[in-house]
Amino acid sequence: MQNIDSYVEKNKDRFINELIELLKIPSVSADSAYKKDVLKTADIIKKSLEKAGCDHVEICETDGYPIVYGEKIIDKNLPTVLVYGHYDVQPADPIGLWTSPPFEPVIKKTELHPEGAIYARGACDDKGQMYMHVKAMEFMTETNQLPCNVKFMIEGEEEVGSVNLSKFVKNNQEKLKNDVILISDTGMISKDTPSITTGLRGLSYVEVEVTGPNRDLHSGLYGGAVANPINVLTKMIASLHDENNHITIPGFYDKVENLSDEERAQMAKAPFSLDNYKKAIDIDDVYGEKGYTTNERNSIRPTLDVNGIWGGYTGEGAKTVIASKAYAKISMRLVPHQDWEDITKLFKNHFESIAPKGVKVLVKPHHGGQGYVTPIDSIGYQAASKAYEDTFGKTPIPQRSGGSIPIVALFEQELKSKTILMGFGLDSDAIHSPNEHFGVWNYLKGISTIPLFYKYFTELSK
Ligand code: BES
Ligand code: MN
Ligand code: MN
Protein backbone atom coordinates (compact mmCIF):
# COMPACT_ATOMS: atom_id res chain seq x y z
CA MET A 1 0.00 0.00 0.00
CA GLN A 2 1.23 3.46 -0.85
CA ASN A 3 2.25 6.05 1.71
CA ILE A 4 1.03 4.31 4.82
CA ASP A 5 4.16 5.15 6.80
CA SER A 6 4.32 8.74 5.60
CA TYR A 7 0.58 9.18 6.25
CA VAL A 8 0.97 7.95 9.81
CA GLU A 9 4.10 10.05 10.34
CA LYS A 10 2.38 13.18 9.02
CA ASN A 11 -0.80 12.69 11.07
CA LYS A 12 0.49 11.05 14.21
CA ASP A 13 0.04 14.07 16.51
CA ARG A 14 -3.59 14.37 15.45
CA PHE A 15 -4.12 10.58 15.85
CA ILE A 16 -2.76 10.78 19.39
CA ASN A 17 -4.77 13.88 20.28
CA GLU A 18 -8.02 12.40 19.00
CA LEU A 19 -7.48 9.31 21.13
CA ILE A 20 -6.69 11.48 24.15
CA GLU A 21 -10.02 13.32 23.70
CA LEU A 22 -11.84 9.97 23.57
CA LEU A 23 -10.09 8.75 26.72
CA LYS A 24 -11.18 11.83 28.67
CA ILE A 25 -14.78 10.57 28.75
CA PRO A 26 -15.33 8.03 31.55
CA SER A 27 -17.41 5.44 29.66
CA VAL A 28 -17.62 2.97 32.55
CA SER A 29 -20.40 0.53 31.61
CA ALA A 30 -20.57 -1.21 35.01
CA ASP A 31 -21.50 1.92 36.96
CA SER A 32 -24.77 3.71 36.12
CA ALA A 33 -23.34 6.96 37.48
CA TYR A 34 -21.48 7.23 34.15
CA LYS A 35 -24.52 6.69 31.93
CA LYS A 36 -24.31 10.11 30.23
CA ASP A 37 -20.63 9.64 29.52
CA VAL A 38 -21.15 6.20 27.99
CA LEU A 39 -23.86 7.62 25.70
CA LYS A 40 -21.68 10.60 24.79
CA THR A 41 -18.88 8.24 23.82
CA ALA A 42 -21.19 6.41 21.41
CA ASP A 43 -21.93 9.75 19.70
CA ILE A 44 -18.25 10.56 19.36
CA ILE A 45 -17.57 7.15 17.82
CA LYS A 46 -20.41 7.74 15.36
CA LYS A 47 -18.92 11.08 14.27
CA SER A 48 -15.43 9.57 13.99
CA LEU A 49 -16.70 6.80 11.69
CA GLU A 50 -18.44 9.35 9.48
CA LYS A 51 -15.25 11.39 9.29
CA ALA A 52 -13.22 8.28 8.50
CA GLY A 53 -15.28 7.73 5.35
CA CYS A 54 -18.16 5.42 6.27
CA ASP A 55 -21.17 6.08 4.02
CA HIS A 56 -23.76 5.12 6.53
CA VAL A 57 -23.41 5.30 10.30
CA GLU A 58 -26.14 4.77 12.88
CA ILE A 59 -26.61 4.45 16.58
CA CYS A 60 -28.49 1.21 17.22
CA GLU A 61 -30.42 1.37 20.47
CA THR A 62 -30.57 -1.72 22.68
CA ASP A 63 -32.03 -2.47 26.12
CA GLY A 64 -28.67 -1.28 27.41
CA TYR A 65 -26.00 0.91 25.85
CA PRO A 66 -26.16 1.48 22.09
CA ILE A 67 -24.15 -0.21 19.39
CA VAL A 68 -22.49 2.06 16.85
CA TYR A 69 -22.77 0.60 13.38
CA GLY A 70 -21.04 1.98 10.29
CA GLU A 71 -20.35 0.72 6.80
CA LYS A 72 -18.84 1.47 3.45
CA ILE A 73 -19.93 -0.91 0.72
CA ILE A 74 -17.93 -0.29 -2.45
CA ASP A 75 -18.83 -3.39 -4.48
CA LYS A 76 -21.13 -6.28 -3.59
CA ASN A 77 -18.76 -8.71 -5.31
CA LEU A 78 -15.84 -7.81 -3.08
CA PRO A 79 -15.27 -9.35 0.34
CA THR A 80 -16.56 -7.67 3.50
CA VAL A 81 -14.54 -7.17 6.69
CA LEU A 82 -16.54 -6.67 9.90
CA VAL A 83 -14.61 -4.76 12.56
CA TYR A 84 -15.69 -5.23 16.17
CA GLY A 85 -14.50 -3.24 19.18
CA HIS A 86 -15.84 -1.78 22.42
CA TYR A 87 -16.05 1.81 23.61
CA ASP A 88 -16.88 0.99 27.23
CA VAL A 89 -14.15 0.68 29.85
CA GLN A 90 -13.62 -1.00 33.21
CA PRO A 91 -14.14 0.99 36.42
CA ALA A 92 -11.02 2.90 37.43
CA ASP A 93 -10.77 1.83 41.06
CA PRO A 94 -8.73 1.55 43.16
CA ILE A 95 -8.33 5.17 42.18
CA GLY A 96 -5.65 5.93 44.81
CA LEU A 97 -3.16 3.70 43.04
CA TRP A 98 -3.13 5.72 39.80
CA THR A 99 -0.08 7.93 39.36
CA SER A 100 -2.20 10.31 37.25
CA PRO A 101 -6.02 10.57 37.12
CA PRO A 102 -7.57 7.78 34.99
CA PHE A 103 -9.62 10.14 32.83
CA GLU A 104 -6.97 12.82 32.37
CA PRO A 105 -4.75 11.10 29.81
CA VAL A 106 -1.04 11.93 29.86
CA ILE A 107 1.88 10.66 27.82
CA LYS A 108 4.75 9.30 29.90
CA LYS A 109 8.07 7.94 28.65
CA THR A 110 9.20 4.63 30.14
CA GLU A 111 12.06 2.22 29.52
CA LEU A 112 9.77 -0.02 27.46
CA HIS A 113 8.12 2.95 25.74
CA PRO A 114 10.81 5.53 24.92
CA GLU A 115 8.33 7.06 22.43
CA GLY A 116 5.86 7.47 25.29
CA ALA A 117 2.72 5.66 26.39
CA ILE A 118 -0.74 7.13 26.92
CA TYR A 119 -1.90 6.58 30.51
CA ALA A 120 -5.68 6.42 30.96
CA ARG A 121 -8.45 3.91 31.66
CA GLY A 122 -9.31 2.32 28.29
CA ALA A 123 -6.06 3.42 26.63
CA CYS A 124 -5.40 -0.17 25.52
CA ASP A 125 -8.69 -1.94 26.42
CA ASP A 126 -10.23 -1.07 24.11
CA LYS A 127 -10.50 2.57 23.06
CA GLY A 128 -6.92 2.80 21.81
CA GLN A 129 -7.04 -0.47 19.92
CA MET A 130 -10.53 0.16 18.54
CA TYR A 131 -9.55 3.65 17.36
CA MET A 132 -6.59 2.23 15.38
CA HIS A 133 -9.24 0.73 13.08
CA VAL A 134 -11.01 4.07 12.66
CA LYS A 135 -7.73 5.73 11.70
CA ALA A 136 -6.76 2.86 9.37
CA MET A 137 -10.13 3.34 7.67
CA GLU A 138 -9.44 7.07 7.37
CA PHE A 139 -6.13 6.32 5.67
CA MET A 140 -7.68 3.88 3.19
CA THR A 141 -10.54 6.17 2.19
CA GLU A 142 -8.44 9.37 2.08
CA THR A 143 -5.88 7.74 -0.20
CA ASN A 144 -8.43 5.81 -2.30
CA GLN A 145 -6.98 2.48 -1.29
CA LEU A 146 -9.91 0.77 0.40
CA PRO A 147 -9.83 -2.61 -1.37
CA CYS A 148 -13.08 -4.15 -0.07
CA ASN A 149 -16.28 -3.51 1.89
CA VAL A 150 -16.13 -2.61 5.57
CA LYS A 151 -18.62 -2.80 8.41
CA PHE A 152 -17.97 -1.49 11.92
CA MET A 153 -19.79 -2.67 15.02
CA ILE A 154 -18.59 -0.94 18.18
CA GLU A 155 -20.42 -1.82 21.40
CA GLY A 156 -20.66 -0.29 24.86
CA GLU A 157 -21.21 -3.34 27.05
CA GLU A 158 -18.24 -5.65 26.50
CA GLU A 159 -16.95 -5.23 30.02
CA VAL A 160 -20.32 -6.26 31.43
CA GLY A 161 -20.94 -9.35 29.32
CA SER A 162 -22.27 -8.15 25.90
CA VAL A 163 -25.80 -9.37 26.68
CA ASN A 164 -27.53 -6.89 24.37
CA LEU A 165 -24.99 -7.33 21.60
CA SER A 166 -25.78 -11.06 21.57
CA LYS A 167 -29.43 -10.25 20.87
CA PHE A 168 -28.44 -7.67 18.24
CA VAL A 169 -26.26 -10.20 16.41
CA LYS A 170 -28.99 -12.85 16.45
CA ASN A 171 -31.53 -10.35 15.08
CA ASN A 172 -29.33 -8.73 12.42
CA GLN A 173 -27.69 -11.58 10.55
CA GLU A 174 -28.15 -10.01 7.11
CA LYS A 175 -26.92 -6.57 8.12
CA LEU A 176 -23.81 -8.06 9.74
CA LYS A 177 -23.04 -10.52 6.94
CA ASN A 178 -19.29 -10.63 6.35
CA ASP A 179 -16.37 -12.72 5.14
CA VAL A 180 -14.15 -12.21 8.14
CA ILE A 181 -14.32 -10.46 11.51
CA LEU A 182 -11.39 -8.35 12.62
CA ILE A 183 -10.76 -7.40 16.25
CA SER A 184 -7.97 -5.62 18.11
CA ASP A 185 -8.75 -6.30 21.76
CA THR A 186 -5.93 -8.66 22.73
CA GLY A 187 -2.16 -8.41 23.01
CA MET A 188 1.07 -9.51 21.38
CA ILE A 189 4.24 -11.09 22.80
CA SER A 190 6.51 -8.03 22.66
CA LYS A 191 7.43 -5.08 20.50
CA ASP A 192 9.92 -7.16 18.55
CA THR A 193 7.98 -10.42 18.61
CA PRO A 194 4.64 -9.93 16.87
CA SER A 195 1.98 -12.56 17.52
CA ILE A 196 -1.58 -13.25 16.47
CA THR A 197 -4.08 -14.54 19.04
CA THR A 198 -5.51 -17.89 17.91
CA GLY A 199 -7.54 -18.74 20.99
CA LEU A 200 -9.54 -17.18 23.82
CA ARG A 201 -10.76 -18.82 26.99
CA GLY A 202 -14.41 -19.13 27.92
CA LEU A 203 -15.77 -17.94 31.24
CA SER A 204 -18.22 -18.93 33.92
CA TYR A 205 -18.72 -16.34 36.66
CA VAL A 206 -20.65 -17.12 39.83
CA GLU A 207 -21.34 -15.59 43.20
CA VAL A 208 -21.75 -17.74 46.31
CA GLU A 209 -23.42 -16.93 49.61
CA VAL A 210 -23.05 -18.97 52.80
CA THR A 211 -25.54 -18.29 55.59
CA GLY A 212 -25.09 -19.56 59.13
CA PRO A 213 -27.05 -18.18 62.10
CA ASN A 214 -29.89 -15.73 61.44
CA ARG A 215 -27.88 -12.81 62.94
CA ASP A 216 -24.31 -11.87 63.76
CA LEU A 217 -23.27 -13.53 67.02
CA HIS A 218 -20.85 -12.78 69.86
CA SER A 219 -17.80 -14.87 68.97
CA GLY A 220 -17.15 -15.68 72.63
CA LEU A 221 -20.66 -16.72 73.56
CA TYR A 222 -21.27 -18.76 70.41
CA GLY A 223 -17.74 -19.40 69.02
CA GLY A 224 -16.95 -23.09 68.62
CA ALA A 225 -20.56 -24.15 68.89
CA VAL A 226 -22.06 -22.98 65.58
CA ALA A 227 -20.79 -23.04 62.03
CA ASN A 228 -18.97 -19.80 61.19
CA PRO A 229 -19.94 -18.98 57.57
CA ILE A 230 -16.55 -17.43 56.83
CA ASN A 231 -14.63 -20.44 58.17
CA VAL A 232 -16.93 -22.75 56.21
CA LEU A 233 -16.74 -20.73 52.99
CA THR A 234 -12.95 -20.59 53.00
CA LYS A 235 -12.74 -24.33 53.71
CA MET A 236 -15.16 -25.08 50.86
CA ILE A 237 -13.19 -22.84 48.50
CA ALA A 238 -9.89 -24.44 49.52
CA SER A 239 -11.30 -27.87 48.70
CA LEU A 240 -11.93 -26.84 45.08
CA HIS A 241 -8.26 -27.54 44.25
CA ASP A 242 -6.29 -30.66 45.19
CA GLU A 243 -2.62 -30.88 46.14
CA ASN A 244 -1.63 -30.78 42.46
CA ASN A 245 -3.79 -27.72 41.86
CA HIS A 246 -6.26 -29.68 39.79
CA ILE A 247 -9.86 -28.54 40.13
CA THR A 248 -11.89 -31.09 42.12
CA ILE A 249 -15.36 -30.44 40.69
CA PRO A 250 -16.54 -33.81 39.28
CA GLY A 251 -16.77 -33.67 35.46
CA PHE A 252 -14.94 -30.34 35.21
CA TYR A 253 -12.23 -31.68 32.88
CA ASP A 254 -14.45 -34.04 30.85
CA LYS A 255 -14.53 -31.91 27.69
CA VAL A 256 -11.07 -30.37 28.00
CA GLU A 257 -9.09 -31.00 24.87
CA ASN A 258 -5.65 -32.49 25.45
CA LEU A 259 -3.12 -31.00 23.08
CA SER A 260 -0.71 -33.37 21.39
CA ASP A 261 2.93 -33.39 22.46
CA GLU A 262 3.73 -31.84 19.10
CA GLU A 263 1.35 -28.94 19.64
CA ARG A 264 2.75 -28.40 23.11
CA ALA A 265 6.30 -28.45 21.76
CA GLN A 266 5.24 -25.88 19.17
CA MET A 267 3.79 -23.66 21.89
CA ALA A 268 6.96 -23.94 23.96
CA LYS A 269 8.93 -22.37 21.11
CA ALA A 270 7.39 -18.94 21.70
CA PRO A 271 9.96 -16.71 23.38
CA PHE A 272 9.28 -16.46 27.10
CA SER A 273 11.43 -15.61 30.11
CA LEU A 274 10.17 -16.97 33.41
CA ASP A 275 12.56 -14.65 35.25
CA ASN A 276 11.17 -11.57 33.57
CA TYR A 277 7.64 -12.81 34.12
CA LYS A 278 8.26 -13.15 37.86
CA LYS A 279 10.14 -9.85 38.08
CA ALA A 280 7.41 -7.89 36.30
CA ILE A 281 4.82 -8.80 38.95
CA ASP A 282 7.26 -9.18 41.86
CA ILE A 283 6.69 -12.81 42.81
CA ASP A 284 9.39 -15.27 43.89
CA ASP A 285 7.82 -18.25 42.15
CA VAL A 286 4.96 -19.16 39.85
CA TYR A 287 2.10 -21.36 41.02
CA GLY A 288 -0.37 -23.58 39.21
CA GLU A 289 -1.53 -26.91 37.90
CA LYS A 290 1.07 -29.66 38.13
CA GLY A 291 2.36 -30.98 34.82
CA TYR A 292 1.94 -27.76 32.83
CA THR A 293 4.17 -24.80 32.01
CA THR A 294 3.26 -21.21 32.86
CA ASN A 295 2.21 -20.48 29.27
CA GLU A 296 0.07 -23.61 29.19
CA ARG A 297 -1.51 -22.84 32.55
CA ASN A 298 -2.67 -19.45 31.32
CA SER A 299 -3.94 -20.46 27.89
CA ILE A 300 -4.82 -24.10 27.18
CA ARG A 301 -5.85 -25.09 30.71
CA PRO A 302 -9.02 -24.14 32.60
CA THR A 303 -8.82 -22.39 35.97
CA LEU A 304 -10.89 -21.46 39.00
CA ASP A 305 -10.16 -18.25 40.90
CA VAL A 306 -11.79 -16.32 43.71
CA ASN A 307 -12.16 -12.72 42.51
CA GLY A 308 -13.50 -11.30 45.73
CA ILE A 309 -14.43 -12.52 49.19
CA TRP A 310 -16.16 -10.69 52.01
CA GLY A 311 -18.16 -10.96 55.20
CA GLY A 312 -17.89 -10.12 58.88
CA TYR A 313 -16.09 -7.15 60.32
CA THR A 314 -13.46 -5.41 58.17
CA GLY A 315 -13.49 -1.92 59.69
CA GLU A 316 -10.87 -0.34 61.91
CA GLY A 317 -9.77 -2.19 65.05
CA ALA A 318 -11.31 -5.46 66.20
CA LYS A 319 -14.87 -6.63 66.65
CA THR A 320 -15.45 -10.09 68.11
CA VAL A 321 -18.19 -11.43 65.92
CA ILE A 322 -19.36 -14.48 64.01
CA ALA A 323 -21.02 -13.11 60.89
CA SER A 324 -24.33 -14.43 59.73
CA LYS A 325 -23.19 -14.46 56.10
CA ALA A 326 -20.08 -14.85 53.94
CA TYR A 327 -19.75 -14.26 50.21
CA ALA A 328 -17.37 -14.82 47.33
CA LYS A 329 -17.22 -14.11 43.62
CA ILE A 330 -15.60 -16.89 41.63
CA SER A 331 -14.55 -17.06 37.98
CA MET A 332 -13.70 -20.13 35.97
CA ARG A 333 -11.72 -19.65 32.77
CA LEU A 334 -12.64 -22.38 30.32
CA VAL A 335 -11.04 -23.85 27.24
CA PRO A 336 -12.72 -24.66 23.91
CA HIS A 337 -15.36 -27.45 24.11
CA GLN A 338 -16.10 -26.82 27.78
CA ASP A 339 -19.63 -25.41 27.70
CA TRP A 340 -19.96 -22.53 30.14
CA GLU A 341 -23.54 -23.32 31.08
CA ASP A 342 -22.70 -26.97 31.78
CA ILE A 343 -19.72 -25.92 33.90
CA THR A 344 -21.87 -23.45 35.83
CA LYS A 345 -24.28 -26.30 36.65
CA LEU A 346 -21.43 -28.62 37.66
CA PHE A 347 -20.08 -25.93 39.95
CA LYS A 348 -23.48 -25.26 41.53
CA ASN A 349 -24.23 -28.94 42.18
CA HIS A 350 -20.80 -29.58 43.60
CA PHE A 351 -20.63 -26.48 45.75
CA GLU A 352 -24.04 -27.17 47.25
CA SER A 353 -23.12 -30.81 47.86
CA ILE A 354 -20.00 -30.01 49.89
CA ALA A 355 -21.76 -27.63 52.28
CA PRO A 356 -21.66 -28.98 55.84
CA LYS A 357 -24.75 -29.11 58.02
CA GLY A 358 -25.31 -25.88 59.89
CA VAL A 359 -25.09 -23.55 56.88
CA LYS A 360 -27.17 -22.79 53.81
CA VAL A 361 -25.42 -22.27 50.48
CA LEU A 362 -26.68 -20.25 47.56
CA VAL A 363 -24.93 -20.19 44.15
CA LYS A 364 -25.91 -17.33 41.86
CA PRO A 365 -24.67 -17.64 38.27
CA HIS A 366 -23.60 -14.38 36.62
CA HIS A 367 -22.52 -14.17 32.99
CA GLY A 368 -20.33 -16.43 30.93
CA GLY A 369 -19.26 -17.31 27.45
CA GLN A 370 -17.62 -19.95 25.31
CA GLY A 371 -13.95 -20.19 24.43
CA TYR A 372 -12.62 -19.89 20.89
CA VAL A 373 -9.89 -21.27 18.65
CA THR A 374 -9.05 -20.46 15.07
CA PRO A 375 -6.82 -22.36 12.63
CA ILE A 376 -3.77 -20.74 11.08
CA ASP A 377 -4.40 -21.94 7.53
CA SER A 378 -7.40 -19.68 6.89
CA ILE A 379 -7.23 -16.78 4.44
CA GLY A 380 -7.87 -14.40 7.32
CA TYR A 381 -4.96 -15.67 9.37
CA GLN A 382 -2.67 -15.68 6.34
CA ALA A 383 -3.63 -12.10 5.48
CA ALA A 384 -2.92 -10.96 9.03
CA SER A 385 0.38 -12.83 9.05
CA LYS A 386 1.50 -11.13 5.82
CA ALA A 387 0.48 -7.73 7.16
CA TYR A 388 2.68 -8.17 10.26
CA GLU A 389 5.54 -9.47 8.10
CA ASP A 390 5.47 -6.19 6.17
CA THR A 391 5.39 -3.88 9.19
CA PHE A 392 7.46 -5.85 11.74
CA GLY A 393 9.80 -7.61 9.30
CA LYS A 394 9.02 -10.89 11.09
CA THR A 395 6.46 -13.66 10.80
CA PRO A 396 4.06 -13.38 13.75
CA ILE A 397 3.75 -16.28 16.19
CA PRO A 398 0.31 -17.84 16.68
CA GLN A 399 -0.56 -17.83 20.38
CA ARG A 400 -3.61 -18.65 22.47
CA SER A 401 -4.56 -16.07 25.05
CA GLY A 402 -5.91 -16.60 28.55
CA GLY A 403 -8.43 -13.75 28.34
CA SER A 404 -12.02 -13.94 27.16
CA ILE A 405 -14.09 -12.12 24.55
CA PRO A 406 -17.24 -14.27 24.75
CA ILE A 407 -18.92 -12.60 21.79
CA VAL A 408 -16.33 -14.09 19.42
CA ALA A 409 -17.75 -17.62 19.82
CA LEU A 410 -21.24 -16.23 19.33
CA PHE A 411 -20.12 -14.54 16.09
CA GLU A 412 -18.98 -17.91 14.81
CA GLN A 413 -22.23 -19.57 15.84
CA GLU A 414 -24.58 -16.90 14.46
CA LEU A 415 -22.70 -15.28 11.59
CA LYS A 416 -20.70 -18.37 10.60
CA SER A 417 -17.51 -16.46 10.24
CA LYS A 418 -14.11 -16.66 11.84
CA THR A 419 -12.52 -13.86 13.80
CA ILE A 420 -8.94 -12.70 13.38
CA LEU A 421 -7.53 -11.23 16.59
CA MET A 422 -4.85 -8.66 15.74
CA GLY A 423 -3.93 -7.34 19.16
CA PHE A 424 -1.23 -4.71 19.63
CA GLY A 425 -1.25 -4.44 23.44
CA LEU A 426 1.38 -5.78 25.83
CA ASP A 427 0.86 -7.73 29.08
CA SER A 428 2.53 -4.83 30.88
CA ASP A 429 -0.15 -2.37 29.68
CA ALA A 430 -2.04 -3.00 32.95
CA ILE A 431 -5.50 -3.40 31.45
CA HIS A 432 -8.22 -3.52 34.15
CA SER A 433 -5.56 -2.28 36.63
CA PRO A 434 -4.49 1.13 37.87
CA ASN A 435 -2.18 2.96 35.43
CA GLU A 436 -3.46 1.28 32.29
CA HIS A 437 -1.52 2.56 29.29
CA PHE A 438 -0.94 1.96 25.59
CA GLY A 439 2.38 2.59 23.87
CA VAL A 440 2.34 5.32 21.22
CA TRP A 441 4.55 3.01 19.15
CA ASN A 442 2.00 0.18 19.48
CA TYR A 443 -0.87 2.49 18.56
CA LEU A 444 0.82 3.79 15.41
CA LYS A 445 2.08 0.32 14.46
CA GLY A 446 -1.50 -0.93 14.64
CA ILE A 447 -2.69 1.87 12.37
CA SER A 448 -0.06 1.04 9.76
CA THR A 449 -0.53 -2.75 9.94
CA ILE A 450 -4.35 -2.90 9.69
CA PRO A 451 -4.70 -1.54 6.10
CA LEU A 452 -2.33 -4.27 4.92
CA PHE A 453 -4.70 -6.87 6.34
CA TYR A 454 -7.45 -5.50 4.08
CA LYS A 455 -5.14 -5.56 1.09
CA TYR A 456 -3.97 -9.15 1.60
CA PHE A 457 -7.39 -10.43 2.61
CA THR A 458 -8.90 -9.04 -0.60
CA GLU A 459 -6.08 -10.45 -2.72
CA LEU A 460 -6.22 -13.89 -1.11
CA SER A 461 -10.02 -14.00 -1.46
CA LYS A 462 -9.85 -13.77 -5.26
N1 BES B 1 -10.01 -7.21 25.93
C1 BES B 1 -10.34 -8.02 27.05
C2 BES B 1 -10.00 -9.48 26.86
C3 BES B 1 -8.57 -9.83 26.55
C4 BES B 1 -7.52 -9.03 26.94
C5 BES B 1 -8.32 -10.99 25.86
C6 BES B 1 -6.21 -9.39 26.63
C7 BES B 1 -7.03 -11.36 25.57
C8 BES B 1 -5.97 -10.54 25.94
C9 BES B 1 -11.84 -7.85 27.35
O1 BES B 1 -12.20 -6.49 27.37
C10 BES B 1 -12.12 -8.39 28.73
O2 BES B 1 -11.70 -7.79 29.67
N2 BES B 1 -12.86 -9.51 28.82
C11 BES B 1 -13.29 -10.02 30.09
C12 BES B 1 -14.51 -10.87 29.94
C13 BES B 1 -15.82 -10.11 29.90
C14 BES B 1 -16.98 -11.09 29.85
C15 BES B 1 -15.98 -9.14 31.04
C16 BES B 1 -12.21 -10.89 30.70
O3 BES B 1 -11.41 -11.52 29.99
O4 BES B 1 -12.18 -10.93 31.94
MN1 MN C 1 -11.46 -5.49 25.74
MN1 MN D 1 -11.56 -5.63 29.32
Side-chain angles (χ1 to χ4, degrees):
M1 262 173 167
Q2 288 164 29
N3 318 328
I4 179 79
D5 290 333
S6 60
Y7 190 89
V8 171
E9 184 56 33
K10 215 169 93 198
N11 292 285
K12 67 178 184 198
D13 290 340
R14 178 172 56 84
F15 290 172
I16 293 165
N17 289 330
E18 287 176 13
L19 176 57
I20 284 177
E21 288 309 308
L22 193 59
L23 290 168
K24 284 182 185 169
I25 315 161
S27 52
V28 180
S29 53
D31 185 344
S32 58
Y34 295 99
K35 188 171 176 188
K36 270 199 185 132
D37 298 297
V38 184
L39 295 173
K40 187 171 153 195
T41 308
D43 278 328
I44 295 179
I45 303 297
K46 177 175 185 269
K47 289 195 188 92
S48 74
L49 285 174
E50 281 161 353
K51 262 180 124 177
C54 285
D55 291 334
H56 166 75
V57 187
E58 60 183 312
I59 298 253
C60 306
E61 299 298 339
T62 72
D63 290 340
Y65 288 123
I67 294 155
V68 187
Y69 176 84
E71 63 178 33
K72 187 172 178 76
I73 308 296
I74 55 171
D75 179 347
K76 289 225 162 61
N77 298 314
L78 285 169
T80 301
V81 176
L82 173 67
V83 177
Y84 162 83
H86 62 96
Y87 64 82
D88 63 323
V89 302
Q90 283 275 324
D93 19 52
I95 214 122
L97 295 180
W98 285 77
T99 53
S100 56
F103 299 107
E104 292 171 31
V106 284
I107 298 179
K108 292 180 212 175
K109 290 195 160 98
T110 66
E111 208 181 307
L112 187 59
H113 295 291
E115 307 82 5
I118 307 171
Y119 280 71
R121 170 57 84 229
C124 175
D125 184 13
D126 181 40
K127 282 176 173 164
Q129 296 214 69
M130 175 269 294
Y131 206 67
M132 297 181 316
H133 288 268
V134 182
K135 293 300 99 180
M137 173 75 175
E138 175 196 301
F139 162 74
M140 292 186 288
T141 55
E142 286 285 320
T143 61
N144 288 315
Q145 296 186 81
L146 180 68
C148 62
N149 305 314
V150 193
K151 295 176 177 175
F152 281 87
M153 178 168 65
I154 314 295
E155 73 153 322
E157 297 186 312
E158 196 277 341
E159 300 292 7
V160 291
S162 303
V163 176
N164 292 300
L165 181 70
S166 303
K167 292 184 213 160
F168 183 79
V169 171
K170 286 180 183 158
N171 295 333
N172 290 278
Q173 312 243 357
E174 193 51 42
K175 183 188 191 102
L176 301 174
K177 214 168 161 230
N178 66 78
D179 296 283
V180 71
I181 298 169
L182 184 60
I183 303 180
S184 296
D185 194 21
T186 54
M188 60 181 186
I189 294 176
S190 70
K191 285 166 81 173
D192 48 29
T193 313
S195 57
I196 297 174
T197 303
T198 51
L200 293 164
R201 285 197 285 195
L203 180 73
S204 163
Y205 201 104
V206 298
E207 189 170 322
V208 299
E209 181 185 309
V210 174
T211 307
N214 61 358
R215 60 179 169 87
D216 288 7
L217 303 174
H218 188 288
S219 69
L221 293 179
Y222 288 91
V226 298
N228 176 330
I230 302 177
N231 292 10
V232 169
L233 175 62
T234 51
K235 207 167 158 180
M236 287 169 71
I237 287 172
S239 78
L240 297 175
H241 290 93
D242 69 12
E243 66 284 3
N244 294 322
N245 280 316
H246 287 297
I247 294 156
T248 56
I249 300 169
F252 187 85
Y253 291 100
D254 282 1
K255 304 245 169 89
V256 172
E257 159 196 38
N258 284 313
L259 267 67
S260 66
D261 288 347
E262 198 194 314
E263 279 173 289
R264 290 177 70 183
Q266 207 59 41
M267 269 187 78
K269 282 191 195 151
F272 175 72
S273 154
L274 194 59
D275 272 341
N276 291 348
Y277 185 86
K278 291 192 281 192
K279 250 184 234 143
I281 49 175
D282 198 14
I283 52 170
D284 60 7
D285 207 353
V286 289
Y287 185 94
E289 190 182 1
K290 196 174 168 187
Y292 295 92
T293 64
T294 295
N295 277 334
E296 289 172 340
R297 286 170 181 168
N298 68 24
S299 64
I300 59 162
R301 299 297 295 167
T303 61
L304 184 152
D305 277 294
V306 178
N307 292 239
I309 183 162
W310 70 104
Y313 183 70
T314 57
E316 197 183 331
K319 180 186 178 196
T320 47
V321 67
I322 293 173
S324 164
K325 284 175 185 286
Y327 307 84
K329 290 184 194 277
I330 296 173
S331 69
M332 288 162 277
R333 295 282 170 173
L334 311 175
V335 294
H337 308 308
Q338 278 184 301
D339 180 85
W340 79 272
E341 288 177 291
D342 287 350
I343 293 292
T344 305
K345 277 186 211 134
L346 290 179
F347 176 90
K348 186 174 156 66
N349 291 343
H350 177 67
F351 207 69
E352 285 168 355
S353 79
I354 60 171
K357 280 196 173 143
V359 298
K360 290 190 230 26
V361 167
L362 193 69
V363 176
K364 290 185 256 180
H366 275 246
H367 55 279
Q370 315 294 30
Y372 179 73
V373 267
T374 183
I376 62 171
D377 57 7
S378 68
I379 294 176
Y381 186 92
Q382 292 304 322
S385 186
K386 282 162 91 69
Y388 282 85
E389 270 167 41
D390 284 4
T391 53
F392 286 78
K394 283 181 185 167
T395 306
I397 296 174
Q399 201 178 46
R400 291 206 207 179
S401 170
S404 308
I405 311 177
I407 201 71
V408 172
L410 189 110
F411 287 158
E412 179 165 30
Q413 186 194 311
E414 298 295 328
L415 305 175
K416 313 278 179 266
S417 46
K418 279 283 181 187
T419 292
I420 302 302
L421 297 153
M422 291 175 69
F424 292 89
L426 300 174
D427 282 353
S428 54
D429 288 344
I431 61 171
H432 294 207
S433 299
N435 306 310
E436 175 178 353
H437 54 278
F438 190 34
V440 167
W441 185 90
N442 301 64
Y443 177 54
L444 300 177
K445 202 68 165 175
I447 299 172
S448 49
T449 306
I450 290 164
L452 292 160
F453 171 84
Y454 285 77
K455 171 180 164 219
Y456 290 124
F457 185 74
T458 310
E459 284 175 13
L460 291 170
S461 298
K462 276 176 192 152

